[in-house]
Amino acid sequence: MYDVIIVGGGPAGLTAGIYCGRAGLAVLVLEGGAFGGQMTLSSEIENYPAFPQGISGEELSSLMRGQAERLGAELRREKAKTIDLKTKTVVTRKGEYRAKNIILAMGASPRPLGVPGENELRGAGVSYCAVCDGGFFKNKTVAVIGGGDTAVHDCEYLSRICEKVYLIHRRDRLRGGEGALKRVTLPNVEILWNTRVAEFVGENGALTGLRLEGGGTLPVSAAFVAVGTSPNTGAVEGQLELQNGYVPANERMETAIPGVYAVGDLRVKELRQIVTAASDGAVAAACITGCEK
Ligand SMILES: Cc1cc2nc3c(=O)[nH]c(=O)nc-3n(C[C@H](O)[C@H](O)[C@H](O)COP(=O)(O)OP(=O)(O)OC[C@H]3O[C@@H](n4cnc5c(N)ncnc54)[C@H](O)[C@@H]3O)c2cc1C
């Protein structure tokens, strides 16, 4: 019996592990993929405090992982197949674990566009996070693909740092209607309506353009895919009420079920970044250890 089981070893889960371990709790962190989560996909992180020259995702992941272990968290590479939130029982392929508290930190995965060239050029011009990677394309021409809130937000953000931004949308109106259109009616933004990307085109391993359906290639230095994210909530399906697939939690990261916390990208929140994921993890752990009560 653990005090806390944390499901997911990204920055949210590892930070919760650091705080729980340091507080002397018996804490297990289960990670189904790579410790570090989405951080491991980023070749350079420029906006995490205290690394003014930037740091690679791999290195930041390894630092967080090492810190959690050093402070007493038990880390296991096991995917939670089912998580019973009432009995606080987690089942993996290797065993069954029980705890007094569960922290859900399974993160979210950006939805791919699903066209040729995407996997090969991921991280080399194809990005899923404008706030994370936009800074690498200052004063360049870039594209945002999508028509929802994230696409509009990314477009506004990139218009401030890039020379030109194409917003490529497969329909003839944005999901947010007139309000959204107003936000992207900017001198350096051009909207390509009823347009679909057929292929990401690259040269020497870096994105150079987008081949559009119906012909023609649009030269761009980067393309930001904003066609949605999928929170990784499969293991708790049907047990919690979700909002658009994300887990609602209060400011202490408490969900509707006592002893169950939600942190990081899978939580309903405004900004999904490493620093906010880490913050959520710290808050949940502090709530469990009683500091905040
Ligand atoms: C390409 C890219 C670049 C980015 N760059 C930056 C950046 O520069 N700066 C920045 O601040 N943010 C960046 N982000 C966003 C940032 O990485 C995320 O906001 C952050 O990692 C979220 O942390 P998390 O711990 O909530 O989730 P995640 O990082 O998604 O980690 C969740 C972990 O849970 C694991 N998991 C899922 N289901 C299970 C299960 N059933 N059992 C066990 N484990 C499970 C996953 O394998 C994963 O490792 C980037 C994201 C991407 C995709």
Side-chain angles (χ1 to χ4, degrees):
M1 173 70 107
Y2 291 90
D3 292 314
V4 188
I5 295 176
I6 300 166
V7 187
L14 288 174
T15 306
I18 288 170
Y19 275 71
C20 288
R22 192 158 182 264
L25 299 179
V27 53
L28 171 66
V29 185
L30 293 171
E31 168 54 54
F35 280 99
Q38 292 172 67
M39 286 194 296
T40 58
L41 303 174
S42 187
S43 53
E44 195 178 352
I45 294 160
E46 271 192 328
N47 58 1
Y48 192 73
F51 296 99
Q53 309 304 326
I55 181 167
S56 78
E58 286 291 346
E59 204 182 336
L60 189 55
S61 301
S62 153
L63 288 170
M64 282 192 197
R65 178 191 177 154
Q67 196 170 357
E69 279 179 320
R70 207 166 46 252
L71 291 169
E74 182 183 336
L75 271 50
R76 285 177 187 253
R77 270 284 308 276
E78 289 175 43
K79 181 177 175 155
K81 283 203 293 186
T82 60
I83 308 168
D84 187 325
L85 298 179
K86 275 217 177 88
T87 61
K88 318 274 186 291
T89 307
V90 181
V91 177
T92 73
R93 211 163 46 86
K94 292 198 182 143
E96 190 176 297
Y97 306 98
R98 291 202 60 196
K100 295 178 197 149
N101 301 278
I102 301 273
I103 298 180
L104 304 173
M106 292 94 80
S109 313
R111 268 191 218 129
L113 193 64
V115 301
E118 185 166 16
N119 286 337
E120 295 79 355
L121 294 165
R122 187 183 274 242
V126 176
S127 167
Y128 301 84
C129 180
V131 177
C132 315
D133 298 333
F136 299 119
F137 301 96
K138 269 189 189 128
N139 304 320
K140 302 262 192 263
T141 295
V142 303
V144 173
I145 303 163
D149 275 355
T150 307
V152 167
H153 169 272
D154 288 358
C155 206
E156 279 182 301
Y157 177 81
L158 293 165
S159 72
R160 293 195 286 272
I161 51 178
C162 297
E163 185 175 60
K164 174 152 184 136
V165 183
Y166 289 104
L167 177 59
I168 302 176
H169 187 33
R170 61 189 172 144
R171 300 191 201 286
D172 61 1
R173 64 188 299 273
L174 299 171
R175 199 175 315 137
E178 283 303 310
L181 183 60
K182 233 184 190 165
R183 286 169 57 190
V184 293
T185 305
L186 298 162
N188 63 342
V189 172
E190 184 177 338
I191 306 178
L192 304 184
W193 301 108
N194 301 312
T195 304
R196 287 171 189 261
V197 173
E199 184 183 356
F200 293 97
V201 182
E203 233 179 72
N204 302 324
L207 184 79
T208 54
L210 305 172
R211 193 167 63 75
L212 304 177
E213 258 182 31
T217 300
L218 190 69
V220 290
S221 304
F224 295 87
V225 179
V227 295
T229 49
S230 310
N232 301 319
T233 47
V236 293
E237 222 167 69
Q239 300 181 65
L240 276 169
E241 227 167 87
L242 305 177
Q243 266 177 39
N244 293 326
Y246 292 88
V247 183
N250 64 16
E251 278 197 23
R252 294 174 165 204
M253 309 302 138
E254 294 164 313
T255 67
I257 302 176
V260 177
Y261 299 78
V263 296
D265 274 17
L266 63 53
R267 184 169 81 81
V268 174
K269 66 197 290 192
E270 279 295 317
L271 182 65
R272 296 194 168 86
Q273 289 279 275
I274 298 164
V275 73
T276 58
S279 163
D280 285 3
V283 172
C287 189
I288 291 169
T289 53
C291 303
E292 303 272 292
K293 284 182 183 159

